[in-house]
Amino acid sequence: MFIANWKMNGSQSMLSDWLEGVGKTLDKSLQKRCLLCPPVCFLSEASNIISKTNLNISLGAQNIDPNSFSSLTGGIDGAMLKSVGSEFVIIGHSERREVFKERDSLLSKKLISASENGLKVIFCIGESLRDKEENRTVKVLKQQLQTVKKVELNDFMIAYEPVWAIGSGTAATIDYIDKVHSEINDEVISYQKGGFLGVSYGGSVDSSSSKDILSIKGVQGLLIGGASLQYQEFCNIVLSNN
Ligand code: PGA
């Protein structure tokens, strides 16, 4: 799966250009492997364009608020996300963990909410540079995975994103990704949960690194931030695996 995480970027015109470009560049079977996660205000329009122009691209949201907070000003819950065409939701991205101090207890509520509303989950985990330097990577990742272990989920994918690689311009090395993905896969498989879609890698992926990363056995997809904003570069990444 190729996940375009636009973060807080985009506009109406960028959305229509992007979808048109992806539709012209990728055939239907490749489109089927693409998931666009734009800011939530563009989901409805994205869903309209996708159905009007008969594209085969899925949509996801970048965040969800738990149902339990119904008097939360600015909140958007799972039913709302579904109603505007979202099939997936990203939960636990390191930017939200860091900036909004999202902790396991809140992430757990978000997972429950996604599950109750029939949304599939992209659950992000990743170690900081300090964790890496102090050889705590696997320990930290296993701790972050405990949230997933405890909640009943629909289909879910783990996105491994080393925090130090995100937005840095340099992805983790192939050896490093290989080793860490195999640890994550073994850990999640040991939970014996249905619906596990595998582990995606994210962190400065572009079309020059995507082919080698995707050739690693334990990598089932890519979570792409900056390089997903231009449809040409996003399509080059998808085509690099063809
Ligand atoms: P990046 O972001 O590709 O710009 O490093 C990835 C992400 O944070 O999802």
Side-chain angles (χ1 to χ4, degrees), residues 4-123:
N5 177 14
W6 279 12
K7 309 193 182 186
M8 203 165 70
N9 294 287
S11 63
Q12 298 269 8
S13 60
M14 176 177 154
L15 179 74
S16 48
D17 291 349
W18 194 93
L19 286 169
E20 188 187 338
V22 171
K24 282 190 178 144
T25 315
L26 303 179
D27 66 27
K28 289 263 189 295
S29 66
L30 288 175
Q31 288 175 26
K32 196 171 165 24
R33 301 175 60 195
C34 299
L35 171 65
L36 171 63
C37 300
V40 70
C41 56
F42 300 130
L43 277 170
S44 188
E45 178 66 2
S47 173
N48 288 338
I49 297 174
I50 287 171
S51 60
K52 246 194 269 161
T53 54
N54 203 20
L55 297 177
N56 215 0
I57 298 168
S58 304
L59 290 173
Q62 299 174 17
N63 186 31
I64 181 172
D65 288 300
N67 298 340
S68 48
F69 297 159
S70 62
S71 61
L72 178 71
T73 300
I76 297 176
D77 69 21
M80 296 171 190
L81 295 177
K82 269 228 119 159
S83 74
V84 290
S86 206
E87 188 184 340
F88 284 81
V89 60
I90 298 174
I91 295 177
H93 193 284
S94 61
E95 287 153 7
R96 297 202 65 90
R97 289 180 193 257
E98 271 172 34
V99 178
F100 296 103
K101 308 287 172 236
E102 295 195 356
R103 299 283 176 256
D104 290 349
S105 58
L106 177 62
L107 297 179
S108 171
K109 290 193 178 110
K110 291 185 176 205
L111 286 173
I112 292 167
S113 221
S115 165
E116 285 173 354
N117 288 289
L119 288 161
K120 298 172 188 169
V121 167
I122 315 280
F123 188 74

Side-chain angles (χ1 to χ4, degrees), residues 179-194:
K179 184 173 158 285
V180 177
H181 272 242
S182 123
E183 294 276 2
I184 299 169
N185 267 304
D186 288 351
E187 174 71 12
V188 179
I189 288 166
S190 78
Y191 303 161
Q192 301 190 316
K193 293 170 92 80

Side-chain angles (χ1 to χ4, degrees), residues 5 7 93-95 161 165-169 202-205 223-227:
N5 177 14
K7 309 193 182 186
H93 193 284
S94 61
E95 287 153 7
E161 299 201 298
I166 294 175
S168 69
S204 294
V205 174
L223 179 49
I224 309 148

Side-chain angles (χ1 to χ4, degrees), residues 158-170:
I158 302 299
Y160 168 57
E161 299 201 298
V163 178
W164 45 271
I166 294 175
S168 69
T170 311

